[in-house]
Structure formats: C-alpha cells, structure tokens
Amino acid sequence: MFRWAQQQLANVAGTQEPEYGPEAIHPVGKNPGDPAFTELKKEHLKWKLVEQTCVETQTFYLQADSGHYCFLQVIYNNIAGLRITTQFNVKLWYPNNEKPVIWTSDPLENYGFDDDKFSFFADGLSIELSDDGSSYHIKSARNEKSYVDIKFERAAPGFMGGTDGTTTYGTDPKAPWGSMRHAFWPRANVEGRVISHGEQIDLKGRGMFSMALQGMKPHHAASRWNFVNFQSPSYSAILMEFTTPASYASTLVRVSGIAIDGKLLLANNHTGDVKHTATKKDTDNDWPEPTAASYSWEGKTEDGKDVSATLEGSLGDRLDRIDVMAEVPGFIKSIAATAAGTKPYIYQFLPKMTIKVKVGDEVKEEEGTLFTEATFIS
C-alpha cells in the first residue's frame, strides 16, 4: 500500500519514482504461457481511449521510391483524465537534404472516432481504416505546408508481442498503475502524395505502421529507447526496445520482427539486440550520441527453420536531434531535470545499410534504408 501511495505522489508531482524492484514490471510476452507474438487482426486496431494519463498514437512511416522519407502521426493525449488534446504531425525529408525539411504540427479541433473506434476524424483530417482492416487512408488539409492524401496498405501480417502487446507496471499484476502497448504492420505498400505550397511530392513506395499506447508519464515508463525501421525491396525489419528507469530495475523490454511480402519471417519479444558501437558526447546535454550501431534479430519461421539477421555500420550524419522539452520554459526544464532526472533528446538517422538474412542454411544480403532513433530520457 505504501508503494502504491509513493507511486501516486510521483504521478501527481511528476517527480522521480522510488525503486519498486523487478516485481513491479511485467514485460510484454513474459507471463507463463504467453506466445512470442500475436498476429494483428482488425479488432486489435481499435483506439483504447484510456480514461487516465496516457498518450495514444498512430504513426505511419513512408519510404518513397523517389528517395523522400516521411512520417505522419496522430496523437491523442489525456492529461490526468482532466484534459484531452489531439495533434497531427507531418515530417518529410528530401533526398540528400536537397531542400529544408517539411515539418508541421497542428492541434486538432472537433476530433472524434467512428462507432467502433477504428477510424479517427477531426476538422480537416481523416484517418480511416478499411472495412477489411487491411489499409488506412490518411487525408489532411490542416496546413498548406503539408496537405496529405495517402493510402497505406498492409503487405505482410501485422503483429504485437505476447498476447496483447502490453507491458504493465505495478506490484499487483491484476491492478497495474501504468502500461505500454505496441502493435505493428512491419511492411506496407504506400501510394499518394503530400502537397506543400503547391509542390506535389509523390510518396509511392514502402511503409511501416505503429500503434502505441503509453499509459503513464514517459519518464516513469522508460529511461532510454531504440527504434529500428529497415526497408529494402525484399525485407522489412523492425525492432523497438526500451529500458525502464531504476524504479523498475532498469528492465529491458523488446519487440522485433522481420517480414517479406505476404509473410512474417519472425516476430518475438525475447531475442535481438541493439548496440551503439561508437558514440560521441553531445556537449549540449552530455548524452552519448551514437555514430555507429549494430542490430540483430533471431527467431524461427512457422515451419521451424532458424532465422537470423544483422545490420551494422556507420549511422552517418544525423537526420535530426530533437529536444523534446524545447518549448518548455527554461526554469521548468531545469526543475524537471533536477527533480526527475528528465532530459529527453531524440537522435534520428537515415543511413543506407545492407541486411544479412539467414533462413535455415540460405543466406541473402540486400541493401536498404534504415530509419533509426536513439532516445535518452533520464
């Protein structure tokens, strides 16, 4: 009971939590009898709309044949059950940075959902899931810098770790005080365009979709994140991992998968690895910004063949560095860093890399594009 009271105080004050120990974290897929993954069906794509502090997102990553890279994201943010805000973000990079990045982030008015909570609507925006649950159509006229008309069609089975994709926090597994959920389409076909000040940008290519729910304060849920989205003509490889704060025994939680057209080669929550093989100190915040990395996957096909894959090499020039608290007044940022040890930065990279995939005794290599993020929070 005392630990629960401590946690409630931390929730309200936003301060660092006490150390609850490993018994207060229940990673996805680690309960006895849990499967390595569950294939996504349409019913798994419903918005949860939790009635307490949470951030729920849908994010569409687009890798165009033209060399453009884009993500589209809608955010539903419930602040302590007292206030709800919604936001639509568009970020688009040109090949070889030949033009400045297009970046728009617009608050939404009059948001809502269809009766079954599969599709999202707001003034000037619609994100509609098809009747068969295999595609999304995203249309936005929110900002003249980023008019959007994109169809995003699943090209391989989607999945989530374990039974329901959810990691829970709390000393009583039946009454958790926080949660984290992720579900993925690792491989999709993309058609459509973004129009910016009259310029039409064709985004036909490949994509990856992520639906996430963070049911607690972000610096209480994780201290570090790594995210990997690799796309090549034949392979899509994704990996998401986070490390909890010391409050939850610095526990590593991971979900990963590799897909080809029409099939998952592997998906699980217990294998794979991310290593920052070279770093440099960011003098603005003291974080170890990665400059080279290696990523690995392991698992089995449905017919029992061993599967492994690796990516490794230089990350090249960073795509972006995001100071998550950039818009927060300086004195508040200082208090947050002191009281909760919170100093969140996201480092984004977009290098070309070659994936090496081994299925049984057969080995193949193929070049593709890696979008990766390294996030440091506390």
Side-chain angles (χ1 to χ4, degrees):
M1 183 66 179
F2 177 65
R3 284 187 171 184
W4 178 89
Q6 287 178 307
Q7 189 270 331
Q8 297 307 309
L9 175 61
N11 271 355
V12 173
T15 57
Q16 192 168 359
E17 294 186 293
E19 293 190 14
Y20 304 114
E23 66 272 15
I25 178 73
H26 312 282
V28 58
K30 297 301 176 67
N31 293 318
D34 279 353
F37 73 96
T38 297
E39 183 175 328
L40 284 191
K41 305 298 183 184
K42 181 179 179 181
E43 59 264 27
H44 300 135
L45 299 174
K46 286 188 176 185
W47 287 82
K48 299 296 185 182
L49 308 181
V50 178
E51 295 181 358
Q52 61 191 44
T53 296
C54 75
V55 178
E56 194 165 4
T57 61
Q58 288 187 337
T59 308
F60 302 83
Y61 298 87
L62 292 71
Q63 180 184 310
D65 296 340
S66 61
H68 293 83
Y69 198 90
C70 178
F71 76 73
L72 314 172
Q73 181 182 63
V74 62
I75 302 173
Y76 173 93
N77 184 22
N78 187 334
I79 305 168
L82 302 174
R83 180 170 177 251
I84 293 171
T85 63
T86 54
Q87 195 94 3
F88 184 63
N89 297 328
V90 178
K91 196 167 190 177
L92 188 149
W93 290 271
Y94 285 83
N96 303 313
N97 295 315
E98 61 191 32
K99 291 185 180 180
V101 173
I102 294 172
W103 164 241
T104 59
S105 184
D106 295 299
L108 303 173
E109 297 84 33
N110 300 315
Y111 76 89
F113 302 85
D114 66 343
D115 290 343
D116 293 322
K117 298 184 177 62
F118 289 122
S119 300
F120 177 92
F121 303 94
D123 288 351
L125 175 70
S126 63
I127 301 176
E128 294 188 69
L129 182 64
S130 62
D131 289 342
D132 64 0
S134 67
S135 66
Y136 281 95
H137 194 175
I138 306 113
K139 299 177 73 174
S140 173
R142 293 291 312 178
N143 194 307
E144 65 178 8
K145 287 176 62 179
S146 58
Y147 293 131
V148 174
D149 186 0
I150 294 289
K151 186 172 182 182
F152 204 91
E153 185 172 13
R154 177 169 47 80
F159 72 95
M160 54 188 172
T163 302
D164 57 7
T166 303
T167 293
T168 59
Y169 298 71
T171 48
D172 181 357
K174 296 180 180 179
W177 58 51
S179 66
M180 192 87 77
R181 177 184 185 264
H182 292 86
F184 305 98
W185 286 356
R187 190 167 178 86
N189 295 320
V190 178
E191 290 185 351
R193 59 187 178 167
V194 167
I195 301 175
S196 182
H197 293 304
E199 178 192 6
Q200 295 195 34
I201 303 165
D202 185 359
L203 292 178
K204 183 180 185 301
R206 286 180 295 277
M208 175 266 193
F209 166 71
S210 171
M211 191 169 189
L213 171 64
Q214 185 170 273
M216 59 196 302
K217 291 183 181 296
H219 60 285
H220 292 172
S223 62
R224 298 190 178 195
W225 289 83
N226 283 295
F227 171 70
V228 176
N229 172 25
F230 175 84
Q231 301 288 333
S232 72
S234 304
Y235 299 103
S236 297
I238 66 168
L239 193 156
M240 183 280 301
E241 68 170 29
F242 61 90
T243 303
T244 69
S247 316
Y248 302 97
S250 299
T251 301
L252 180 66
V253 179
R254 179 187 293 121
V255 179
S256 62
I258 298 178
I260 58 176
D261 284 336
K263 183 179 180 180
L264 281 174
L265 285 183
L266 69 87
N268 59 48
N269 53 69
H270 56 274
T271 65
D273 192 25
V274 174
K275 292 180 180 176
H276 295 167
T277 54
T279 63
K280 64 180 180 181
K281 182 178 179 180
D282 186 336
T283 56
D284 290 338
N285 53 44
D286 294 332
W287 288 127
E289 176 185 346
T291 58
S294 66
Y295 312 96
S296 64
W297 292 258
E298 292 183 10
K300 289 184 178 293
T301 62
E302 289 183 356
D303 57 2
K305 291 182 180 179
D306 289 331
V307 182
S308 63
T310 55
L311 281 169
E312 58 183 338
S314 169
L315 296 176
D317 295 335
R318 72 183 179 214
L319 197 62
D320 203 354
R321 183 192 69 171
I322 302 167
D323 179 357
V324 178
M325 298 183 73
E327 303 304 318
V328 176
F331 74 94
I332 295 179
K333 186 188 300 188
S334 176
I335 292 171
T338 302
T342 303
K343 193 169 51 175
Y345 278 78
I346 303 171
Y347 298 86
Q348 296 176 327
F349 304 89
L350 191 68
K352 293 287 186 182
M353 278 196 187
T354 297
I355 193 168
K356 183 177 181 180
V357 180
K358 184 178 182 181
V359 180
D361 296 325
E362 184 179 20
V363 179
K364 292 183 178 180
E365 296 187 12
E366 189 169 85
E367 186 182 69
T369 300
L370 169 67
F371 177 80
T372 185
E373 293 180 331
T375 302
F376 303 91
I377 300 174
S378 60

